[in-house]
Amino acid sequence: MKRILLLLCLSNIGFGFAQSSVCDQTIIAANTSAVYAMIPDTNVNLPHATVGLTYEAFLHFKVPSDLSAVNSIMSGPVTSAKVVTITGLPNDFTWECMSDPTNSTILGGEWGCFRIYSTSNVAQSSIGVHPLIFEVDYAVTMNTMFGPYPTTAS
């Protein structure tokens, strides 16, 4: 019986630790007035990788509630945004949506969190500047003269 309780306690501690670094609520709380955002700024603020060590960084992403915030041609309420892919990562790096691991989808007006990480120890060939491009599909309801029209915009 003591072994079972110890195992349950250790598994709860491990689960709590694993979940602690998902989305940093202090970043979200400090940026509640943002219309849309990506924090940290991927141009200057991502942590540097070190050769021979694994890499992990978290990006917080605020989906706009209206498409006009990110698209000067179209407007309409954003239902959700789905990150399709992140290109520009080194070969031994990948990403995952921590907010919705199954679909990589964040609701309009809400915050999501992404993890970028190395799949092995970082190689010298991975060190450098890597411009990242996020391909995002927005589910939007466009207002037309025929009425609301649900569509997807990238």
Side-chain angles (χ1 to χ4, degrees):
M1 182 67 171
K2 289 181 184 178
R3 287 184 206 169
I4 293 172
L5 288 175
L6 178 60
L7 179 63
L8 287 173
C9 288
L10 290 176
S11 65
N12 285 338
I13 290 169
F15 180 75
F17 177 75
Q19 296 296 314
S20 67
S21 63
V22 173
C23 289
D24 187 341
Q25 297 301 314
T26 57
I27 290 174
I28 294 169
N31 294 282
T32 55
S33 63
V35 175
Y36 69 94
M38 182 170 288
I39 300 171
D41 178 342
T42 58
N43 291 324
V44 294
N45 294 339
L46 282 177
H48 295 272
T50 304
V51 173
L53 300 176
T54 58
Y55 180 85
E56 180 178 66
F58 291 89
L59 295 169
H60 294 73
F61 183 71
K62 168 94 183 261
V63 174
S65 56
D66 193 284
L67 189 62
S68 62
V70 294
N71 188 314
S72 61
I73 298 170
M74 297 185 279
S75 68
V78 174
T79 305
S80 64
K82 176 182 177 69
V83 175
V84 178
T85 190
I86 301 174
T87 57
L89 292 170
N91 290 333
D92 52 346
F93 281 61
T94 192
W95 64 278
E96 66 181 327
C97 178
M98 303 301 289
S99 310
D100 181 4
T102 305
N103 300 311
S104 301
T105 301
I106 306 165
L107 298 177
E110 298 294 324
W111 284 90
C113 182
F114 292 85
R115 175 179 168 236
I116 294 176
Y117 62 98
S118 61
T119 56
S120 60
N121 288 344
V122 175
Q124 181 64 44
S125 60
S126 296
I127 301 297
V129 176
H130 300 277
L132 302 179
I133 299 170
F134 289 73
E135 182 184 338
V136 181
D137 285 343
Y138 291 92
V140 181
T141 301
M142 309 272 300
N143 293 319
T144 70
M145 66 176 151
F146 305 109
Y149 178 72
T151 188
T152 302
S154 292

